[in-house]
Amino acid sequence: MNLRIYDPETARKTLLQRQPPDVQDVPAAVRERIQALFGEPLTPAQAVARILADVRTGGDAALRRWSQHLDGWTASDFRLPPTELQRALAHLSSDLREALESAAERIEAFHRRQPLTSWITQDLGGTLGQLVRPLRRVGIYVPGGSAPLPSTVLMSAIPARVAGVREIVLVTPPQRGSDRPAEIILAAAALAGVSEVYVIGGAQAIAALAYGTETIPRVDKIVGPGNLFVTLAKQQVFGVVGIDGLAGPTETVVIADETANPEWVAADLLAQAEHDVLAAAIMLTPSETLAYQVQQAVARQVAQLPRKDILALSLVGRSGIVLTRDLEEAIALSNAYAPEHLNLVVADPWRWVEKIESAGGIFVGEHSYEVLGDYAAGPSHVMPTGGSARFASPLNVWDFVRLISLVALDPRTAAEVGRVSAQLARAEGLEAHARAADLRAATANS
Amino acid sequence: MNLRIYDPETARKTLLQRQPPDVQDVPAAVRERIQALFGEPLTPAQAVARILADVRTGGDAALRRWSQHLDGWTASDFRLPPTELQRALAHLSSDLREALESAAERIEAFHRRQPLTSWITQDLGGTLGQLVRPLRRVGIYVPGGSAPLPSTVLMSAIPARVAGVREIVLVTPPQRGSDRPAEIILAAAALAGVSEVYVIGGAQAIAALAYGTETIPRVDKIVGPGNLFVTLAKQQVFGVVGIDGLAGPTETVVIADETANPEWVAADLLAQAEHDVLAAAIMLTPSETLAYQVQQAVARQVAQLPRKDILALSLVGRSGIVLTRDLEEAIALSNAYAPEHLNLVVADPWRWVEKIESAGGIFVGEHSYEVLGDYAAGPSHVMPTGGSARFASPLNVWDFVRLISLVALDPRTAAEVGRVSAQLARAEGLEAHARAADLRAATANS
């Protein structure tokens, strides 16, 4: 198991080519599971639509039924007593607690510096501007899976708290073999300012957050990563609630030149590749020497790692090394790919930062490797995947507010704008619009 | 035909109650049209999914086929020569041209004042921050319908241009009975800085923008209002491209007290109600006197208006007057409803502005009526409908950029953050993550 070396032309057509979410082949295992659970060969989107419709009309009872049916788990009350959060924090080992606190502090410090303010102008004939209002109630989905992810709790909830959201609701499935989340998840929730925890996962949890049930009040927006079913559920409830985006498999592109330390780059690629069999760990380099050195370092390091079953698939799946003509070509390939993470490990990284058009995050130089961004560098690790960095941003405080436009014209400006508006309204065939303006003008002239 | 007066309790359960988009009853006419066009009783979402899948794989040929089948219109090339835009502007009457220019100037002036800037901090142990990058290519949908809507061209394209978007693509169906859009649409496009126009509408136009065809390069984000099919198409392509939101029927809430001019309020409600049979024109007032005066004024004014067929339905549909106990109750009802437009026509409007939690736009005082916002006050008239002001904002320059998080830690901070990260990574079972940090620490200590 090792990284394959591609030429740019082949890479463009294979490694760097991504299909939008809904035409990806559904793995046979998923198809079979749906057939078993639903008794017919539904697509994942159809299966999700059924769950959503059912929870929407059936409330808590439907929620319990789906949770039992899909996850073999249910509860009479999904809500965890809020006191459990502080208790979990108090019982955490002091090492882990300090690590979580240190991460939380940097994440908060970073997001507090993000400009976020209402604005007003008085030089357009009155008072105009936009008011920033925090969302009232936000839902954060944290996946279950093989290991608990306290970092995702911090990375999602802290920007919400900084934005001023009062009600931050965490939903997460129980830990495997238990009826509640891992203690470290609850401890992270306590630190991040989570106000409610519901132990429920999957598309049914998204339905509960979007529509509300008898015991779970609906939220205004749902954020956070999840599996295929959670992601499809988020897409389908978009519009009923806000969502942050559709999370796909994670991706890192490392652009490196001959000055890079091959052992470090290899470690960074392996850190990326261990996430998941679909994870993409890609190095773009004009240095043939580095390419081979990294290949060898990956082979050496992988032998000493756990999660070999995942690495065996991810290293030969969406990962690889692309030998480019020069750094310009590497940047161009990266911009077209629009990676979630981009690490610049080159002699003069700042020279290239301005040329990066699309990426969730840029990690500048070999001391700012992506693992630091996963935990404690400061920015949220919830970043756009699957090429959505073309149009989407990392999770940030703006995701947790909305704007209200403010129009308070002085009477003279209102009269001028009224004349223009009446004229355009008539061109659009909207006579009642025009008359609302005429009426003011008539009163002013009388 | 007139506005009904509701008590708050009844209003909460009827007038002010909105169903999320996908459970609204599909009108019989739509059902029959789908049956006729598709030969089977598909839901609108299923019909849209077919069109999207077909254009995605079939490209231009599928686009032509659907346009012919659904709209009875097709072309060998949907692209309008760019010279047509300036030509349309040059041929516009000078009155209309001045009105469009005046509106465009105010819209641009307003959006240029919106804060939008990259930020950097150097006090977190290195250089961290977020870079603002304009989207590269944006698609704007402008509906056809009974009358051309040049205002929507200005309100969508100008914020994009202000944000720095280079490629602004307009798609719009041909004017009824013609093979091209109205000249005033093209003139507005010229003023707003549109770079390409494709004469195509419906879900097939959204598919072309999202996936691209042989002749229409895909865009990064699609904005602008449309009918049910366009809206469902936007929902289904969300994730493949960015979208601004799902537009529903337009809404205005007027909160008024006894100081309001009933003729003006009536005119404003009628302007709202003439949009569309589903439009909501709602007054909330504690003044019984005003309620009856507005009722009478509406009855008088409506008699002199065209579009009576629309008004006859919209005035008794989602529109009405709610008699509240006091202004506090009116504000509370409005916040729960989260209207697209909110007009404050009360003695001391500024006192109430801070209490408004959810609205697309606040129009302060009777000189700042909503019609001005439709055309030329400054803010975009593309505002969140259907209660989505709970989580969404009016279209603004932030819709046309994305952020890239920037992480450049100094080596000492990187070492500290590395220790924290390794600890949290091990708690999450991600050993390769921890080793990427360990490796740096080992080198630093050796």
Side-chain angles (χ1 to χ4, degrees), chain A residues 254-256 259-261 264-265 268 342-350 352-353 362-372, chain B residues 127 406-411 414 440:
Chain A
V254 179
I255 296 181
T259 65
N261 179 329
W264 293 9
V265 173
D268 294 344
L342 174 61
N343 199 177
L344 292 175
V345 193
V346 294
D348 181 10
W350 288 104
W352 303 99
V353 167
I362 305 177
F363 298 82
V364 183
E366 61 191 354
H367 289 292
S368 295
Y369 47 111
E370 193 254 312
V371 164
L372 304 186
Chain B
T127 301
L406 186 69
V407 177
L409 298 176
D410 60 49
R440 267 83 170 183

Side-chain angles (χ1 to χ4, degrees), chain A residues 151 274 358 368 402 428 433, chain B residues 151 274 358 402 409 428 433:
Chain A
S151 59
E274 79 170 332
S358 285
S368 295
R402 74 279 206 210
E428 294 187 352
H433 279 63
Chain B
S151 60
E274 78 170 333
S358 286
R402 74 280 208 210
L409 298 176
E428 294 188 351
H433 280 63

Side-chain angles (χ1 to χ4, degrees), chain B residues 274-402:
Chain B
E274 78 170 333
H275 271 290
D276 158 356
V277 298
L278 296 176
I282 295 169
M283 179 172 75
L284 309 176
T285 183
S287 165
E288 202 170 335
T289 311
L290 183 72
Y292 289 114
Q293 286 173 331
V294 168
Q295 260 196 335
Q296 287 160 23
V298 164
R300 260 196 317 275
Q301 292 182 25
V302 78
Q304 297 149 39
L305 285 173
R307 291 171 85 90
K308 285 200 189 58
D309 48 341
I310 291 174
L311 289 165
L313 292 169
S314 62
L315 286 178
V316 300
R318 304 186 180 190
S319 304
I321 295 171
V322 186
L323 253 179
T324 62
R325 202 170 44 245
D326 46 30
L327 284 176
E328 276 80 3
E329 187 177 44
I331 297 281
L333 285 175
S334 175
N335 279 335
Y337 182 73
E340 183 189 11
H341 310 106
L342 174 61
N343 199 179
L344 292 174
V345 192
V346 294
D348 182 10
W350 288 104
R351 196 187 133 198
W352 303 99
V353 167
E354 276 310 298
K355 303 194 170 165
I356 304 304
E357 290 163 11
S358 286
I362 305 177
F363 299 81
V364 183
E366 60 190 354
H367 289 292
S368 296
Y369 48 110
E370 194 256 313
V371 164
L372 304 186
D374 283 346
Y375 294 105
S380 176
H381 76 197
V382 180
M383 289 187 176
T385 56
S388 62
R390 276 164 54 224
F391 53 84
S393 304
L395 198 68
N396 66 89
V397 292
W398 281 90
D399 284 305
F400 298 104
V401 302
R402 74 280 208 210

Side-chain angles (χ1 to χ4, degrees), chain A residues 20 22-23 56 95-96 99-100 102-103 106 109-110 113-115 119 121 123-124 127-131 133 135 147-151 184 218-220 235-236 238-243 246 263-264 267-268 270-271 274-275 304-307 350 353-354 356-364 366-369 371-372 374-377 379 389-394 396 402-409 411 413-414 417-418 420-421 423-425 427-433 435-437 439-440 443, chain B residues 20 22-23 56 95-96 99-100 102-103 106 109-110 113-115 119 121 123-124 127-131 133 135 147-151 184 218-220 235-236 238-243 246 263-264 267-268 270-271 274-275 304-307 350 353-354 356-364 366-369 371-372 374-377 379 389-394 396 398 402-409 411 413-414 417-418 420-421 423-425 427-433 435-437 439-440 443:
Chain A
D22 52 357
V23 289
R56 180 178 192 155
D95 273 12
L96 263 184
L100 275 182
S102 165
R106 285 194 63 92
F110 179 83
R113 283 166 175 78
Q114 193 180 359
W119 65 276
T121 178
D123 61 1
L124 291 173
T127 301
L128 291 105
Q130 288 177 317
L131 306 175
R133 292 281 192 268
L135 304 190
L149 297 173
S151 59
I184 194 169
R218 72 168 185 181
V219 301
D220 298 320
Q235 182 176 32
Q236 292 182 23
F238 171 69
V240 175
V241 287
I243 69 169
L246 303 180
E263 293 293 333
W264 293 9
D268 294 344
L270 285 164
E274 79 170 332
H275 271 289
Q304 297 150 38
L305 285 173
R307 293 171 85 89
W350 288 104
V353 167
E354 276 310 297
I356 305 303
E357 290 163 11
S358 285
I362 305 177
F363 298 82
V364 183
E366 61 191 354
H367 289 292
S368 295
Y369 47 111
V371 164
L372 304 186
D374 283 346
Y375 293 106
R390 275 163 54 222
F391 53 83
S393 303
N396 66 89
R402 74 279 206 210
L403 296 174
I404 302 177
S405 290
L406 186 69
V407 176
L409 298 176
T413 306
V417 172
V420 168
S421 297
Q423 206 160 5
L424 293 175
E428 294 187 352
L430 295 174
E431 180 63 22
H433 279 63
R435 293 201 189 175
L439 210 50
R440 268 84 172 182
T443 313
Chain B
D22 52 359
V23 290
R56 181 177 192 154
D95 274 11
L96 263 183
L100 275 182
S102 166
R106 285 194 64 92
F110 179 84
R113 282 165 175 77
Q114 193 181 358
W119 65 276
T121 177
D123 61 1
L124 291 173
T127 301
L128 291 104
Q130 288 177 317
L131 308 175
R133 293 279 192 268
L135 304 190
L149 297 172
S151 60
I184 194 169
R218 71 167 186 183
V219 301
D220 298 321
Q235 182 177 31
Q236 292 183 23
F238 171 71
V240 175
V241 286
I243 69 169
L246 303 180
E263 294 293 334
W264 293 8
D268 294 345
L270 285 164
E274 78 170 333
H275 271 290
Q304 297 149 39
L305 285 173
R307 291 171 85 90
W350 288 104
V353 167
E354 276 310 298
I356 304 304
E357 290 163 11
S358 286
I362 305 177
F363 299 81
V364 183
E366 60 190 354
H367 289 292
S368 296
Y369 48 110
V371 164
L372 304 186
D374 283 346
Y375 294 105
R390 276 164 54 224
F391 53 84
S393 304
N396 66 89
W398 281 90
R402 74 280 208 210
L403 296 174
I404 302 177
S405 290
L406 186 69
V407 177
L409 298 176
T413 307
V417 172
V420 168
S421 297
Q423 207 160 3
L424 294 175
E428 294 188 351
L430 295 174
E431 180 63 22
H433 280 63
R435 293 200 188 175
L439 210 51
R440 267 83 170 183
T443 314

